Amino acid sequence: MRISRPSRSRRRGAAAVVALVTCSTVVTGQHLAVAGGGPAPSVPAPTLDWSPCVQGSPYDCATAKVPLDYDDPGGRTIELAVVRRKATDPGRRIGSLFFNPGGPGGPGTVQMPQNYEAFPREVRERFDIVSWDPRGIGNSTAVNCFGSPEAAAEWAGGHAVGFPVGAKERATWIEAYRDLSRRCERRNPELLRHVSTADTARDLDGLRRAVGDAQLTYLGISYGTYLGATYANLYPDKVRALVLDSDWDPQAWTNRGSDDARLPSFLRLGSDRSAAATIDKFLELCGSTTTARCAFSAGSPKATRDKFDRLLRRLRDEPVGPYTYSATVDDMVNSLYIVHPGWTLLAGRLQDLWQGRTPEPPPLPPAPPVPNPNPYAGEEQGAAVLCADSPNPRDPEAYHSFEEESAARNGVAGRFWTWASSGCATWPAVAAHRYRGPWNKPTAHPILVVGTRYDPSTPYTAAQAMASELADARLLTNDGYGHTALLNPSSCVQDHEIRYLIDGTLPPVGTTCRQDTPPFAAPEPNGGIATGGGWLALASATGRDRA
């Protein structure tokens, strides 16, 4: 079960950090007056004792202690690792911008520093950028179901990459995840029940109070959109400005509040359909250009699609090094997240495979200046959130039927996304506190929803659904490719987000932006617009990110 992370094992991130935690105040523009009060919180805000993450680092780190169970605030506490980068123009500082890089499973203390420069200059000037590793993840109190790194590596290497192919691999896959569930139940029984999105939303509100902000300013990508929607409905009066980029449909994700799941989570979300459309566009655009721009091009879209189909058929019987049929599909879907340089590098690897050469793996991003830039991030961390939050069919043998049904419509993307949540079939825990709606509580200020047309993980229809479900939201369409507008720059989208975050100005209804640089094309000076202005960018990385 590979859980999506905007940053995948290729994770991405960018985040906003807090400054002057003891006395920071939100200075709002004319459109963002601060709403008052609400009931006093029952749990005190955590204390953040900031210090440089490492000597000479421009980032500050702190550890927050929060209740494991908010119904028992005097009981066991857990730790949250937090990072910030102070506003570069402190005299004009508005407050703190909290960032969640997605997943579930993305460690913000790593991903925000890796991608800080991708935030627009105006945002970095006016906000402390703050991120954190959510409970159960990374450098926070983390789910870890193995006694040693060697045991974790042995488990990970004991089943297929991507998804199982054939009855033997399916049996091995199912048993591997049964084994993972048993290990997790033995080692983390209490923690597993308290890593839900609702628990993390309560942590986020505590962090908001800890930095002194009267209301929340937030950017969430992928899974982070679901976290943002949960926060908005648990704390509607605390919403200052929320940007939700590449969205999860909350009704689909929660199965409309029912535990009787007839389909796996990502098929309900529509990830299989969206990934299939994105793969098709990759092959179309590749085939429409020369091999100088797309190494895998066969001279036309049809010839390139046929070449890809022949390559996958050959890899079923003749893998090239570690590149099996399923591992190649896994690599393809994940490599479509970042258009530049991801699509070009992917085309090169596919061409290597076509010629029988083992491709070089994509480069890893540089380690950020934080104490532990490589925390343990096993699959069980994302699974603990996903499986506890989102209902999935409980019969692991049924996933093969789901796979075949989706593959008949969506090709290899259906196989990939069907098995992405199959480990939930035997997962041992359900969250003690789940938020399952309603999603339409009126918020103090409107929310900005950003959806990309060709996204290999979160479909544009999910962004439409998110904007429709929320009580007061505006949809900004990114007529482009890849997973999140943050990771695939559009100056048009960026401009709209800057105005919204600073003074609350929403784009006009129906606004559509384009990416600055289309796939396999020479750079253009600006993102195109159908109606209105623009948005944010984020640096790439390499790794695993689903949804």
Side-chain angles (χ1 to χ4, degrees):
M1 172 173 53
R2 310 279 177 175
I3 306 301
S4 122
R5 312 174 182 171
S7 134
R8 314 180 279 183
S9 276
R10 321 179 157 165
R11 293 183 188 150
R12 341 238 184 252
V17 175
V18 188
L20 306 175
V21 303
T22 56
C23 59
S24 111
T25 57
V26 176
V27 181
T28 60
Q30 60 179 333
H31 301 291
L32 285 177
V34 177
S42 58
V43 178
T47 299
L48 296 174
D49 293 323
W50 297 106
S51 62
C53 292
V54 296
Q55 186 174 4
S57 174
Y59 299 95
D60 297 323
C61 288
T63 300
K65 290 189 176 182
V66 297
L68 173 68
D69 183 353
Y70 279 91
D71 285 348
D72 183 20
R76 176 184 168 187
T77 61
I78 58 174
E79 294 185 341
L80 304 178
V82 191
V83 66
R84 80 174 177 189
R85 179 78 175 260
K86 291 183 179 180
T88 59
D89 187 352
R92 301 171 65 232
R93 177 182 177 274
I94 292 173
S96 299
L97 171 65
F98 284 86
F99 170 75
N100 179 274
T109 62
V110 177
Q111 294 176 20
M112 184 275 271
Q114 282 178 332
N115 297 287
Y116 170 78
E117 296 297 332
F119 281 96
R121 175 182 54 80
E122 295 90 336
V123 172
R124 288 183 274 126
E125 287 175 348
R126 305 295 297 276
F127 293 93
D128 298 339
I129 312 280
V130 184
S131 195
W132 77 109
D133 294 0
R135 54 172 61 211
I137 308 301
N139 291 306
S140 293
T141 299
V143 174
N144 185 340
C145 302
F146 298 94
S148 68
E150 294 75 19
E154 182 181 3
W155 179 86
H159 57 281
V161 174
F163 54 89
V165 178
K168 183 177 179 180
E169 285 193 2
R170 286 195 297 274
T172 300
W173 178 284
I174 290 168
E175 181 51 38
Y177 284 100
R178 278 202 180 102
D179 178 52
L180 180 65
S181 295
R182 288 191 292 264
R183 291 172 184 263
C184 292
E185 190 170 27
R186 284 196 301 269
R187 293 179 61 89
N188 298 277
E190 189 178 11
L191 183 58
L192 292 183
R193 298 181 63 250
H194 296 286
V195 292
S196 73
T197 301
D199 290 318
T200 293
R202 293 183 176 97
D203 293 340
L204 175 56
D205 194 62
L207 294 175
R208 172 194 65 78
R209 290 185 284 127
V211 303
D213 284 0
Q215 292 179 316
L216 179 70
T217 305
Y218 172 84
L219 168 61
I221 59 176
S222 196
Y223 162 78
T225 66
Y226 180 67
L227 172 59
T230 301
Y231 182 95
N233 285 277
L234 287 175
Y235 302 99
D237 62 324
K238 301 303 180 185
V239 170
R240 177 188 174 273
L242 272 58
V243 177
L244 309 182
D245 176 5
S246 289
D247 299 79
W248 287 11
D249 175 350
Q251 292 284 15
W253 194 249
T254 59
N255 198 38
R256 297 191 173 274
S258 170
D259 286 327
D260 183 18
R262 305 299 175 89
L263 284 175
S265 296
F266 291 108
L267 301 193
R268 293 198 307 268
L269 188 64
S271 298
D272 53 343
R273 299 190 304 273
S274 191
T278 307
I279 289 172
D280 189 67
K281 290 299 290 187
F282 169 87
L283 297 171
E284 175 191 327
L285 295 172
C286 180
S288 299
T289 190
T290 65
T291 54
R293 291 195 183 274
C294 180
F296 193 66
S297 176
S300 73
K302 182 181 185 305
T304 305
R305 292 184 181 104
D306 291 343
K307 181 180 177 180
F308 179 65
D309 291 342
R310 292 198 303 273
L311 173 62
L312 290 185
R313 285 197 298 270
R314 193 173 77 201
L315 288 172
R316 277 182 175 269
D317 299 320
E318 302 173 22
V320 178
Y323 284 82
T324 62
Y325 163 72
S326 60
T328 301
V329 174
D330 178 277
D331 179 53
M332 183 169 201
V333 174
N334 280 298
S335 296
L336 293 173
Y337 280 60
I338 303 294
V339 172
H340 301 289
W343 286 33
T344 300
L345 295 176
L346 170 62
R349 290 196 299 277
L350 292 174
Q351 183 63 17
D352 283 341
L353 292 171
W354 180 255
Q355 296 177 337
R357 298 190 300 263
T358 301
E360 289 293 320
L364 293 172
V370 296
N372 184 14
N374 189 31
Y376 176 71
E379 286 189 36
E380 66 268 34
Q381 294 186 0
V385 181
L386 188 159
C387 299
D389 260 1
S390 183
N392 276 271
R394 299 293 289 177
D395 177 7
E397 303 291 342
Y399 284 75
H400 179 48
S401 296
F402 298 136
E403 171 193 12
E404 293 301 323
E405 291 170 6
S406 180
R409 298 186 300 271
N410 304 301
V412 292
R415 302 190 188 282
F416 175 89
W417 280 113
T418 295
W419 290 97
S421 64
S422 61
C424 294
T426 54
W427 192 252
V430 173
H433 306 295
R434 289 183 287 175
Y435 185 79
R436 306 169 76 173
W439 301 99
N440 60 352
K441 293 184 181 178
T443 50
H445 296 103
I447 295 168
L448 179 60
V449 173
V450 182
T452 297
R453 294 273 190 199
Y454 291 99
D455 184 323
S457 177
T458 55
Y460 178 68
T461 54
Q464 292 174 309
M466 176 70 87
S468 176
E469 287 290 334
L470 296 172
D472 188 4
R474 179 69 48 82
L475 175 63
L476 175 61
T477 298
N478 178 33
D479 191 6
Y481 310 89
H483 187 47
T484 80
L486 185 64
L487 304 176
N488 297 283
S490 162
S491 56
C492 165
V493 175
Q494 186 177 54
D495 290 344
H496 282 303
E497 181 174 275
I498 291 167
R499 292 197 290 269
Y500 170 72
L501 289 173
I502 289 175
D503 65 15
T505 301
L506 288 167
V509 174
T511 297
T512 297
C513 292
R514 293 200 307 268
Q515 288 169 341
D516 291 352
T517 309
F520 310 124
E524 295 179 359
N526 291 295
I529 3 176
T531 59
W535 218 102
L536 269 174
L538 179 60
S540 70
T542 38
R544 174 105 35 245
D545 172 44
R546 303 246 170 109

